[in-house]
Amino acid sequence: MPLRRFFALTSVAFLVVLAISPAKNALRPYRAFQRKFAALGAVRARSAQQSKQYARRPIAIHQIWLPGLDNRVDRCTTCHLGVADPVMKAAPSPFTLHPWTPHTPGDFERFGCTSCHAGQGPATTEGQAHGTAADAGAPLLPATYIEAGCGRCHAAVRVSNAPQLSQGRAIMERYGCFACHSMRGREAFRSEAPPLASEPVKTGAEWLRRWLKKPRDVDPNATMPNFQLTEREIEELSHYLFGQEVPEELARRVKAAGDEPPGDAANGKRLFAESRCISCHTVEGKGQGSAPELSKIASAASRGWLLAYVRDPHAFNPRTPMPQYHFADSESRDLVAYMEDEFRDFDAPKEILEPLRVNRTLAEAGEKTFRRYGCFSCHGAQGARPAEKFGPDLDGIGDKRAAFLDFGRRTDLPRTLTAWLAAKVASPRSFAKGLKMPSYGLSAEQTRAVVTALLGFGAQAVPEAYRVVPASLPAPIPAGRVGQLVDRYRCLSCHQIGDRGGDISTAPLTFEGSRVQREWLVDYLVLSFSIRPILTERMPIFRMPREEAAELADAIETLFVDPRVPEDPFQGHPSSDADAVEGERLYVGLGCRGCHIVGSGGGYYGPPLNDSAARLKPGWTYAWLKGPQRWRADVRCPDYGLTDRDALRLTAYIATLRQPAAQPKGAK
Amino acid sequence: MKSLRIGILLPLVLSACTRKPAASGQAAVPQPPQSSYELRLGRATFEHYCQTCHGETGGGDGFNAFNLDPRPRDLSDPAFQNKKTDADLKDVIQRGGAGVGLSSLMPPWGKTLSGDQVDQTILYLRTLRKR
């Protein structure tokens, strides 16, 4: 019977082979997870009926399919069964409820899991899904960098609910990463670093040497990184920079200013305080800190250069955020006299500002060094823009596979993108000899933030429906004369207008015309006084001529308005709503004095309301009180949920507040 | 013979005892970094809205504090932290001092911050407790 035996054997073999697949399926770990989850649910359930529901759940693969988001299939919920189940709060992993985020628990069906967390959505074993298997595609984002996920859709620098991502992006903007590295959406980026053409008439060889050695040692606010140059390279660069042709006009201005008679330092001191230089600069660390430290500036720049620069900074650096003040010639002389007296490096050698006698050979070598390190990326000549970015493309860096990264000498690192990026940002040249990226000296926290920002740059743009690009607010900056004034006084260095501008000021100008009264604004522009004396960053006194102030105020009154602010808030309401006495009672009862000063009492955080009658338009006060966050999303003035009537009464009270007669306007 | 058996068994049992909890503990740790996202948000909210009065470390010494009467609460005080439950804190943050019979200088944040934001802030407040 060999044939029969053969039959029997093959049949058995056949059956065994047939059973392999179902057996493999039956033994897959997710089944064990689902059984465990059912048991856990039965224990944690809040009712008998709910408990039964857990037991009745069939064992199956769960998935979220997102045809609109790159056709993603996420099966993570096959094991992470409790992510949307409040019963599973603080349950053991992998069953625990997902922590709160702006998109959970409400939006699982819209975003799935991998759009934020990365990892392999369709996989159903832990190793493959989390991408821990050797060089699987996108591995799971480590929890430390989770906010990188937000960056895939949210394009703004500041993303709400993502503090770490926002910090990282702000650092990348400030340190000018995109001057060397190209990035989709940041093509227009231009460094604010000064062109170097006037360097020979500005500083001396010794100062330049110190600066090139370690910029942060010379100025703690420096954004220029440390290029770890050798003595030789520093020498070459110095000769190159000193060998440049200074533009004739600038050389003439510096020379003429240097020959002017000395000014009055005492008056300069007063002017320095009045001009609120520390709204951007620092003096011995005190100040806002986005602009250079000034306490040693007279040992960094010649008197002539300082004087010519203070008078017209834009001639030297067209991209500087510094406004052009309207100083009289004698005033700028006084200001510089004060700086010459006080802002010196008293330990520096006498010859710190001595020019260099240029050696042609060294200068030629220096030009090559200048190119080799890509210095031109930030210090480009005026108007010229390098045709190609100096550093590697950062587009899609967040999706780079670890296998494509050069770990070089860094055998100590785990072979992951996150480890590579963290090491690169912290110590850029540690991977191999001859690398050129300079060192930025970031703290551990800053490094984490930058890595988060980098991981947020995906290889592919997310579909339109998912992209969150900051809305452009309609706030035109007029061309012509007013545009020139806005540019001259660099309003946008501190204030926001629409979606443009800096964040030094707490007062966006987008609705300024609806907010303040024109006459007050003209006075304020001519002689600004501190609305919030507690702040370091205050509006400078530009010495603006009254005609210019009037032109600006007219433009603001016409253009920067919002139709949501009523002209007369009391119109159509009974006159009892305009009851200022009731308003005062509300003012006290609600605790407004916690932040605002009226008379001489109250907190320092909000603007004092003493001059409100002359300053604020009642329509604005009312619109503001009805919901401060409508006007500035992050404003700290709480929304009290006032009724129309209460808001009107408060408005009426605030409109009666006048400056106490004893305190003259313009007092600090 | 018996002592030999004990000598073999004892280390086995001991090692089983010591290793097992460590292993299961590792698996069951509810991932601290995940909560740290909420903590980060809580910190950001605290720094933005609360710090001006309550101070960087919660000591009631923010720059806006010195002209206020009564002074802002010292949130880092262990006695205060022990006395107040999360629900108490949430209540006073949402309804303000006036809402719970205290000073109206503590404004109500219920209409400005979401419930989740308040929870995150309380999470961060708990880390400010002085040791």
Side-chain angles (χ1 to χ4, degrees), chain A residues 39-275:
Chain A
L40 189 70
V43 175
R44 288 177 154 244
R46 285 163 195 156
S47 67
Q49 202 192 352
Q50 203 183 17
S51 172
K52 250 180 237 155
Q53 272 170 5
Y54 280 102
R56 249 187 262 135
R57 282 163 71 130
I59 288 183
I61 286 180
H62 303 208
Q63 69 176 24
I64 300 170
W65 178 37
L66 300 167
L69 185 52
D70 310 328
N71 219 1
R72 241 167 238 273
V73 176
D74 285 348
R75 296 186 175 146
C76 315
T77 45
T78 304
C79 297
H80 295 278
L81 290 148
V83 284
D85 184 350
V87 169
M88 292 296 161
K89 192 166 180 168
S93 177
F95 306 129
T96 181
L97 175 71
H98 195 286
W100 180 90
T101 75
H103 295 306
T104 51
D107 289 341
F108 282 115
E109 295 300 322
R110 185 158 173 242
F111 294 100
C113 309
T114 55
S115 51
C116 301
H117 286 274
Q120 303 293 308
T124 51
T125 63
E126 189 185 339
Q128 283 172 349
H130 293 183
T132 45
D135 199 38
L140 205 62
L141 208 52
T144 323
Y145 303 116
I146 190 63
E147 289 172 29
C150 315
R152 296 293 170 108
C153 298
H154 295 268
V157 172
R158 271 190 67 184
V159 179
S160 60
N161 287 306
Q164 190 169 309
L165 174 74
S166 309
Q167 186 193 5
R169 285 188 171 170
I171 292 171
M172 293 192 74
E173 295 287 327
R174 172 157 165 80
Y175 288 95
C177 302
F178 306 120
C180 284
H181 298 284
S182 73
M183 168 63 67
R184 198 174 39 222
R186 299 286 195 280
E187 293 85 356
F189 180 88
R190 298 221 56 195
S191 167
E192 283 168 3
L196 299 173
S198 72
E199 215 66 359
V201 290
K202 174 189 173 189
T203 191
E206 176 57 24
W207 183 87
L208 188 60
R209 231 173 261 136
R210 293 176 179 209
W211 174 262
L212 289 172
K213 180 123 191 91
K214 208 170 176 194
R216 202 71 64 80
D217 277 0
V218 176
D219 180 351
N221 302 342
T223 49
M224 175 158 151
N226 180 358
F227 280 85
Q228 301 164 22
L229 301 168
T230 63
E231 296 293 329
R232 169 99 194 156
E233 287 169 329
I234 289 174
E235 217 45 45
E236 288 168 356
L237 278 173
S238 304
H239 282 267
Y240 167 61
L241 292 175
F242 271 92
Q244 295 176 107
E245 193 89 30
V246 183
E248 213 170 294
E249 169 63 15
L250 295 183
R252 192 193 56 74
R253 285 194 200 182
V254 173
K255 170 93 178 48
D259 293 340
E260 283 180 28
D264 170 10
N267 189 41
K269 183 174 182 170
R270 193 182 58 80
L271 278 168
F272 185 83
E274 223 173 68
S275 307

Side-chain angles (χ1 to χ4, degrees), chain A residues 423-442:
Chain A
K424 185 73 186 172
V425 172
S427 169
R429 296 203 191 156
S430 61
F431 290 83
K433 245 187 176 160
L435 294 179
K436 292 170 196 153
M437 178 164 157
S439 157
Y440 285 82
L442 301 176

